[in-house]
Amino acid sequence: ILIWLGLFGIWYFIFGTGSVKSRSLRLGIVVAIILATGFLASQLLCYEGSAGGSSFPRFSWVWQNPPSPPASITATSPTPGNAPEPNGEDTIATELHDFLGPDRDGMREDLPFQSDWDAHPPELLWRRPIGRGWSSFVVSGRRALTQHQVGDDEHITCLDLLTGSELWQHRDSQVRLLLERAENTGAAMGGDGPRGTPTIHGEKVYAMGATGIINCLELESGRLFWSRNLIQELGGGIQRWGMASSPLVLPDGRGIVFAGPDSHGPTLIACDPLSGETVWTYEGGGASYSSPRLMTYGGVLQIVSINATDVSGIDLATGNELWRHPWPGKFPKVAQPIAYGAT
């Protein structure tokens, strides 16, 4: 729009009616109005990214966007073994340890709730403020965990599922996607906060933040076992709209799989669950925003991953490529692989 207005102004100045002085005056008035409008908008509006992922910009008034987070979510990380226990009897009848469910396909046969909300409307149990982000929740007993952004810090927070009270919180200070990629070609459009969802495995929680920092925490207390700035270590770049892949737990303790950097670095990295050390890397054709899945094809259990330019099957133990199908195009790959037909 600005380029069009500039070209139109040049055309009017050369071919418009009236004297050069009058044309210059009119152009000056129009430019002044545009600059004043832009300045006023910058003082009154906050850019909130795109509306529903459509790339159409979304704005809010500055007074609707307080700069400081709610006091109820600014607690520091707990000291080991100092997290409060959930009160009351554990009445949760379901477990949700992984992104989109146990098979990462968003499907569930035995729903733990009524799906007809007209006949059985849900009852509000609690409501509380939380930071920004795109992460979902995982659940173990009465512990519900998610990731979110509070100011310039990324948080992994554990809440009591029945009361909403905070059980523990881990904070990575000065870790924020928009501190590192605010001026790139699109990070701000995706909004603020972590993108991936934590994964629960046994008594541990694994999570990857928007900038590629991975953490292994104790489920009960939030105590940190190990942490790595994976993207920085690999010398790659953060995905254009932030790291959005959720950790995948391999069976028999073979590793925890994380997405790699953009096209300059491994596509997938498997880390030791206990130490965080690298077990194997899969180079591939670049990582995507999708999360890898465990699927069986030809009788072989394997990792199926949608990557930046292809879809591939990867051996669990070695990270060797079993097969690859090209999916060209520079558009972002965000979907989960879904089985169709005979496998």
Side-chain angles (χ1 to χ4, degrees):
I1 294 175
L2 292 177
I3 293 175
W4 183 88
L5 288 174
L7 293 174
F8 180 78
I10 294 174
W11 175 87
Y12 175 78
F13 185 78
I14 298 175
F15 301 104
T17 59
S19 64
V20 173
K21 182 178 180 180
S22 62
R23 293 199 301 269
S24 300
L25 180 62
R26 292 166 191 165
L27 279 177
I29 293 173
V30 171
V31 170
I33 292 174
I34 292 175
L35 292 176
T37 302
F39 175 77
L40 187 63
S42 69
Q43 300 302 306
L44 297 179
L45 297 174
C46 288
Y47 178 56
E48 297 287 348
S50 67
S54 65
S55 299
F56 191 81
R58 178 178 56 186
F59 299 94
S60 66
W61 300 109
V62 290
W63 54 84
Q64 294 176 332
N65 187 32
S68 57
S72 58
I73 55 173
T74 57
T76 58
S77 299
T79 56
N82 198 33
E85 286 295 322
N87 296 320
E89 183 181 353
D90 188 347
T91 58
I92 306 301
T94 187
E95 298 281 315
L96 180 65
H97 293 179
D98 211 340
F99 174 59
L100 291 179
D103 293 325
R104 293 197 162 196
D105 59 359
M107 302 295 292
R108 181 157 187 166
E109 299 294 335
D110 55 332
L111 290 178
F113 54 84
Q114 297 287 345
S115 59
D116 186 352
W117 284 9
D118 290 329
H120 305 278
E123 178 186 353
L124 179 64
L125 296 180
W126 52 266
R127 184 193 302 270
R128 59 165 290 139
I130 200 168
R132 297 184 173 188
W134 297 80
S135 300
S136 183
F137 276 84
V138 285
V139 176
S140 177
R142 284 178 58 170
R143 288 179 168 82
L145 297 97
T146 191
Q147 301 179 97
H148 55 113
Q149 189 77 43
V150 181
D152 288 341
D153 304 333
E154 274 193 352
H155 289 237
I156 303 171
T157 298
C158 179
L159 304 177
D160 187 318
L161 188 61
L162 295 187
T163 67
S165 60
E166 184 178 292
L167 301 177
W168 56 258
Q169 183 176 148
H170 172 82
R171 178 175 63 187
D172 288 317
S173 299
Q174 294 297 302
V175 175
R176 183 182 181 187
L177 176 65
L178 298 189
L179 289 178
E180 300 192 30
R181 301 212 66 170
E183 303 303 325
N184 81 339
T185 54
M189 186 183 72
D192 214 348
R195 274 81 164 125
T197 297
T199 300
I200 297 174
H201 180 60
E203 298 303 317
K204 293 183 174 63
V205 178
Y206 300 92
M208 171 180 267
T211 66
I213 291 180
I214 57 178
N215 291 296
C216 173
L217 308 172
E218 185 177 51
L219 174 61
E220 181 180 0
S221 67
R223 178 167 62 97
L224 179 66
F225 288 118
W226 54 265
S227 180
R228 294 179 62 180
N229 191 332
L230 198 62
I231 304 305
Q232 188 179 81
E233 289 179 25
L234 295 170
I238 302 169
Q239 292 277 11
R240 180 179 178 185
W241 289 288
M243 306 303 296
S245 183
S246 300
L248 172 67
V249 176
L250 300 181
D252 303 324
R254 298 182 187 181
I256 310 296
V257 177
F258 298 91
D262 55 17
S263 57
H264 306 290
T267 298
L268 296 176
I269 302 97
C271 298
D272 183 273
L274 299 179
S275 66
E277 295 180 358
T278 300
V279 176
W280 53 253
T281 60
Y282 167 63
E283 295 303 321
S288 73
Y289 302 92
S290 177
S291 296
R293 284 187 62 190
L294 290 176
M295 305 176 74
T296 300
Y297 278 99
V300 177
L301 180 65
Q302 57 195 269
I303 302 167
V304 177
S305 176
I306 294 179
N307 310 313
T309 58
D310 52 48
V311 184
S312 58
I314 301 123
D315 183 78
L316 276 65
T318 64
N320 293 334
E321 184 176 282
L322 302 177
W323 55 267
R324 180 188 298 199
H325 180 79
W327 189 1
K330 293 185 178 181
F331 52 88
K333 313 298 193 304
V334 301
Q336 289 296 99
I338 300 294
Y340 178 77
T343 60

